[in-house]
Amino acid sequence: MRTHGLRRFLVEDGIRHLILAPLAVLIVFPIAWMVLTSLKPSAETILWPPKMLPQVPTLQNYYEVFVRWPFLRFFLNSLLVSGVSTVMILLTSSSAGYAFAKIKSRWLNVIFFVFIATIIVPFESYMIPVYLLVNRLGWLNSYPGLILPFVIMAFGVFFMRQTIQAIPDELIQAARIDGCSEFAIFWRMILPLSVGPLSALAIYAFLNVWGFFTWPLIITTTQEMYTTEIGLTLFQSQFFIEYGLVAAGATVTALPLLLVFFIFQRRIITAVTLTGLKGT
Amino acid sequence: MPPVSPGNPAHPCWWARVRSQWQWYGPQWKYCLAVLGPVCLAYLIIRIIPIVDTAWMSLHNWSLVKPVRPFIGLDNYVKLAGDPLFRMALYNTTLFAVVTVPVTLVLAFTVAVLLDRPMRGRLENVYKFLFFLPVVPTMVPVSVVWKWIYDPSYGILNYALGFLGVPPQGWLIDSRLAIWAIILMTVWKSVGYYMVLFLVGLKDIPVDYYEAAGIDGATAWQRLTQITIPLMRPMLLFNVVIATIFACNVFAQVYVMTEGPQGSPANPVRVIVMDMYENGFRYLKMGYASAEAMVLLLIVFALTVFEFRFLRPKV
Amino acid sequence: MTTWRWIRTGIVAAALLACLVAPLAATAGQPVKLTLWSGYPEMKPYFDAAAKFYNELHPNVTIEVSTFPLRDIERKYAVSLPTNSGPDIAESHIYIAQMHIENGSLVPNPPEVTTFLKSGVFHPLFVSDSSWQNTVYGVPVLFSLDSLLYNTQMFKEAGLSAPPKNWDEMLSMGKKLTKYDAQGNVTRSGLGLRLFGAGSGVAAKWWYFLKSAGGDLFEECTPKSGKYRAAYDNEAGRDTLKLYIDALYKHKIHEPKLKQDAEGFANQQAAMFVRESWLVGYMKKNAPAVQYAVAPLPAGKKTNTLLFWTNVYVTRSSKQPKEAWDFVMFMANGPKLKELEQILYNTVGWMPPRNDVAKRHPNIYSEVPQYKYFAEVPKTYELYAYPRLAVTDEAFTKLAERLVKAYQDKSLLDNPTGIAKAIHEAAEETNEILKENKLYCGK
């Protein structure tokens, strides 16, 4: 029995470990480097030959990050903007995605393709008209102004439509016949079935808004409204980069996303599937 | 319940057809309006109208700092065709997309497939976490860290390669290497992103199929090519489309890597959005930059349509 | 599933609450609040101190200082100044400001400010180059000349007693100062040169040598015509490019793979290079042990160097221009002038632009000898400023890309035709830019 278990391990897991382990090490290395750099005093960041571990580990960088600029405020701003945007994106993407996936209509297909077309255009290209609009609304340098471009995400609509399409039509037809309103079907049946994809989307939406630099840069005019991305550029002087500070700032800003990922990771990978009633 | 026809297509009056559609889809239309109404409005205000605005700007000599903005028709586009910097940007963006998309997706798919089934000690979760790690920090500080890794005199990459006998390279400053350095960094950062998407898709494939194949004596490779890949087509299509769009719109990492006295020279890594940014925000030639944006839109749209055709999920 | 529901409801509730609180949060503040933006993050201590001193005198006025890297602030200015959503006070150097001046986004100086500027406290070049159509804009806030920094320890080791005075000496001394390894690779540059990095930097640094050679980026075809052409498609331009090519490939006194610019000098990977006085602040903070001195820019056919400075401007976005000008004048000529100048000298590195600093800081050049040749040069030197045309940035940036390519082209060594061709094509491009902006005057 033991030998059998060992051989199974070698064949099933062993090969996978052989391929995955070196890849994982390579992938994680730069992140580890970044975190370790954040613990090094300034002089150590330019050591040659480079040393992996800090000789004199210090939290000085983290201290400076929060002291030189009101980084905590930036952090809270980012949290608020990203959090609200994510919730709105989840709502709009799933409800619209359901409509596009399960309600048959030529019109809806047309609208869907128009939505998809907007993913293609990078935000930088139409940023100016949006800026002018926000200026006219008087929302410059305010939370509504920061959040406005991010209440919808075409990527999200596309993604939810693809995943909701996989839910069998029969279930929905049955519910309709039973007299459920579309709202009820959506809220009571589709959403719970989509927890996995919704979790993945939550992570991506959060990441996307959190990391967006250009929009907050031009829309904010006073420091109290800056986000963490703007805060990080403040550490870069024109002539040189304080690597320790940037690394510390990056590590700090990565933490909430890691938390979000941790919370949702299990949901993503244990998405409920229905066996036996599969369609493509 | 007797089948109800959604309107006779042969009916001469279109409004009757619409009305009969309405009757069939009654309760669903309420949902559509309630949900899609606000969503479409939002899209209109913050996406569609600004994009149309941009198209309009592209037909003018539009600058934020000049009050006179004459209509010049397609002049901007003509100039673009003759602009060597734009041609360079086209070439670089194409190269970038053609390399990044397949490499990233193949890697992500491989990893996802390998991690789909559980391992001893739940190790697959550890791997998933590790592979997703590069996705988490934002692009700007990560690019700064990579700039450091690529540094010719102090970077860890040259140090590590030194052990293999490779002489120190100027990864970002050498015109031939710069774009490959950025490609490598982008692939590194994106693999985890698509891995998660593939994992979501893989979860939807019922275990029964695999079991049935196992009973029939199929090998792992056959299982992969006959079951997994065909059933993953919708997710594959999605990922290819998204990856293409993101690759064509690459900007942040190029912007950071080219900054400063140790930065990469701009032209070898000039991508379209970078060129757009330079024209629009540094030279303040918004009209010209808008024309570039329109051309980019057309190119990516064409690519997307092509991909949809090519990878359309077969029923 | 219920936990998920709770989390969801909680987030939605928080979001709605935030949207209600938001308009209130953004407007908290003192009666008068001024915003100041700067593209020079190293100036933060100076502006912060000025804001603090001013607030002590006027407790109802707070000034919020934001500094960004130059590239990012250009973007912010581009979007916010024309739409009147910019800061009250903007710091900028001349050719970036020019675009906004021409567009009317920056406010001309009130009469008393102009009188102050013309009162002899500033070098005449400050005033003449800050003027456009006979109106003066902005007040200088920092300055430096471009001069040569050199590592005195390395000079001693190489047996050199004095810094180079001209191009020939610069190249020969550079050769003596360069260190090579066994394979002939450069391990320490004799002369640091700016070879890459996106933006206009590469061209701006090349341009100082071009000016020493007798050329320029633009020249006015006939005085006061307002029409220009490229002024480097000539011997001066070719000589300057040849200087770089020879330095790189004939004498091999610089290595691109080493750390460049300020970092290279601080790490003792370069023996000499040309920069401005902010190096003093940088070296003090990052490499205090390095012994270095400063000398005037080595002369080519002409003996000259760049007078670099930035102005602070009051913008049309300001709703409190009177208070803004008051603060600007406070920085330039207020009761705390000595303390503020001290901060520049001690911490920042950029120097105060007034020419009467000796009154308040009589011993500064003996305390910090490196500042001397960043502030003064022998009478034989002519001073010039950046070209003031709004298209300067575009011209420099496109030229920079061509130069970067040329520097990596080994075939240009001992190849006068190749160099002439490269220069000619670059000048054509510059002329195209002028034509596009209706500033070109023909051959």
Side-chain angles (χ1 to χ4, degrees), chain B residues 40-295:
Chain B
C40 285
L41 190 67
Y43 265 95
L44 214 62
I45 298 179
I46 57 185
R47 298 272 186 269
I48 314 251
I49 294 184
I51 294 177
V52 170
D53 236 333
T54 306
W56 181 245
M57 283 199 286
S58 73
L59 298 173
H60 293 71
N61 194 351
W62 213 95
S63 164
L64 268 174
V65 287
K66 293 200 189 121
V68 180
R69 296 163 182 161
F71 180 81
I72 55 172
L74 293 174
D75 264 5
N76 279 329
Y77 293 92
V78 172
K79 237 195 313 172
L80 263 182
D83 186 352
L85 288 178
F86 181 68
R87 282 202 294 269
M88 222 178 298
L90 262 177
Y91 174 75
N92 285 331
T93 310
T94 313
L95 177 65
F96 190 83
V98 162
V99 175
T100 326
V101 173
V103 172
T104 313
L105 290 182
V106 166
L107 268 173
F109 187 71
T110 314
V111 171
V113 164
L114 287 174
L115 290 174
D116 189 32
R117 284 180 322 149
M119 284 178 170
R120 285 279 160 90
R122 286 264 158 209
L123 279 178
E124 79 275 8
N125 288 339
V126 174
Y127 277 120
K128 283 175 194 170
F129 177 72
L130 288 180
F131 277 103
F132 193 72
L133 219 41
V135 183
V136 174
T138 49
M139 188 53 97
V140 170
V142 159
S143 305
V144 172
V145 173
W146 270 88
K147 215 163 143 181
W148 187 236
I149 292 177
Y150 280 139
D151 194 272
S153 17
Y154 292 94
I156 196 102
L157 183 62
N158 275 342
Y159 181 67
L161 286 177
F163 289 121
L164 299 171
V166 178
Q169 302 292 324
W171 296 103
L172 290 175
I173 59 183
D174 190 331
S175 299
R176 297 159 303 166
L177 293 175
I179 192 148
W180 297 101
I182 298 188
I183 288 177
L184 175 66
M185 189 271 251
T186 310
V187 169
W188 168 84
K189 194 165 197 310
S190 326
V191 170
Y193 190 88
Y194 297 107
M195 175 196 78
V196 169
L197 291 175
F198 277 129
L199 281 172
V200 173
L202 281 171
K203 273 290 162 238
D204 278 344
I205 300 177
V207 186
D208 316 350
Y209 287 23
Y210 289 125
E211 284 176 3
I215 292 170
D216 284 347
T219 66
W221 179 256
Q222 281 174 323
R223 280 208 301 268
L224 183 73
T225 48
Q226 310 286 9
I227 301 179
T228 315
I229 294 185
L231 286 180
M232 286 281 285
R233 276 195 108 117
M235 192 49 92
L236 260 171
L237 169 66
F238 178 74
N239 279 350
V240 170
V241 168
I242 292 296
T244 313
I245 295 177
F246 286 169
C248 292
N249 289 343
V250 62
F251 174 60
Q253 51 269 56
V254 176
Y255 178 73
V256 173
M257 298 290 203
T258 53
E259 211 169 354
Q262 330 278 352
S264 154
N267 279 357
V269 297
R270 182 176 291 270
V271 289
I272 297 185
V273 181
M274 178 83 190
D275 197 49
M276 250 170 54
Y277 161 80
E278 201 171 73
N279 280 320
F281 285 99
R282 291 198 62 196
Y283 310 150
L284 303 187
K285 300 196 284 197
M286 287 295 165
Y288 193 61
S290 303
E292 256 183 297
M294 290 297 121
V295 174

Side-chain angles (χ1 to χ4, degrees), chain C residues 98-379:
Chain C
Q98 183 64 21
M99 287 189 276
H100 299 290
I101 291 176
E102 288 180 19
N103 194 38
S105 307
L106 298 176
V107 172
N109 295 356
E112 61 272 13
V113 177
T114 307
T115 318
F116 166 65
L117 287 178
K118 291 188 176 164
S119 64
V121 168
F122 294 99
H123 189 284
L125 201 54
F126 284 124
V127 184
S128 63
D129 248 61
S130 300
S131 312
W132 185 64
Q133 295 187 343
N134 290 323
T135 325
V136 185
Y137 293 81
V139 174
V141 67
L142 62 82
F143 102 104
S144 171
L145 299 176
D146 264 79
S147 304
L148 183 78
L149 293 105
Y150 62 100
N151 190 313
T152 45
Q153 184 110 21
M154 294 181 193
F155 262 59
K156 231 189 289 179
E157 281 168 6
L160 297 166
S161 54
K165 292 208 180 36
N166 53 46
W167 284 18
D168 290 327
E169 284 183 15
M170 197 169 67
L171 287 175
S172 60
M173 291 192 191
K175 182 85 193 165
K176 290 210 188 93
L177 291 160
T178 315
K179 280 220 166 92
Y180 301 91
D181 67 8
Q183 285 89 19
N185 299 320
V186 174
T187 51
R188 185 178 86 190
S189 294
L191 175 67
L193 293 169
R194 178 72 174 265
L195 300 177
F196 29 71
S200 50
V202 171
K205 310 286 176 280
W206 183 77
W207 176 69
Y208 319 141
F209 291 115
L210 175 68
K211 291 284 278 192
S212 297
D216 202 343
L217 182 67
F218 302 125
E219 65 186 356
E220 222 172 352
C221 305
T222 46
K224 303 260 192 254
S225 63
K227 301 279 185 205
Y228 302 80
R229 59 169 169 250
Y232 58 95
D233 193 3
N234 47 32
E235 203 182 332
R238 295 189 279 271
D239 281 345
T240 317
L241 183 55
K242 184 165 177 299
L243 173 73
Y244 274 72
I245 300 287
D246 285 351
L248 283 171
Y249 300 115
K250 183 181 276 182
H251 308 290
K252 295 210 183 52
I253 56 180
H254 180 67
E255 171 54 58
K257 294 210 194 84
L258 296 170
K259 273 254 175 259
Q260 301 293 303
D261 206 63
E263 281 188 271
F265 193 70
N267 286 327
Q268 308 215 50
Q269 288 189 325
M272 303 189 276
F273 85 120
V274 176
R275 248 341 195 145
E276 303 92 20
S277 69
W278 60 269
L279 252 299
V280 177
Y282 177 82
M283 295 296 283
K284 188 166 162 189
K285 183 163 174 236
N286 294 298
V290 173
Q291 295 165 1
Y292 69 100
V294 178
L297 187 69
K301 291 218 174 76
K302 287 194 146 176
T303 312
N304 51 22
T305 187
L306 171 71
L307 174 63
F308 175 84
W309 83 93
T310 64
N311 283 337
V312 280
Y313 300 89
V314 173
T315 69
R316 217 164 274 290
S317 315
S318 176
K319 305 213 175 26
Q320 296 127 160
K322 207 158 81 52
E323 287 83 348
W325 280 117
D326 200 52
F327 179 62
V328 167
M329 284 307 290
F330 175 82
M331 286 195 288
N333 199 27
K336 290 286 190 183
L337 183 61
K338 179 158 176 215
E339 287 83 348
L340 289 176
E341 289 180 342
Q342 199 69 45
I343 294 177
L344 284 180
Y345 280 126
N346 286 350
T347 318
V348 177
W350 288 111
M351 297 187 295
R354 293 171 62 132
N355 54 17
D356 60 349
V357 286
K359 271 193 242 162
R360 292 175 292 282
H361 312 271
N363 301 320
I364 185 66
Y365 299 139
S366 44
E367 286 166 25
V368 189
Q370 288 91 352
Y371 276 133
K372 182 161 194 304
Y373 284 116
F374 279 125
E376 322 172 332
V377 277
K379 295 264 186 301

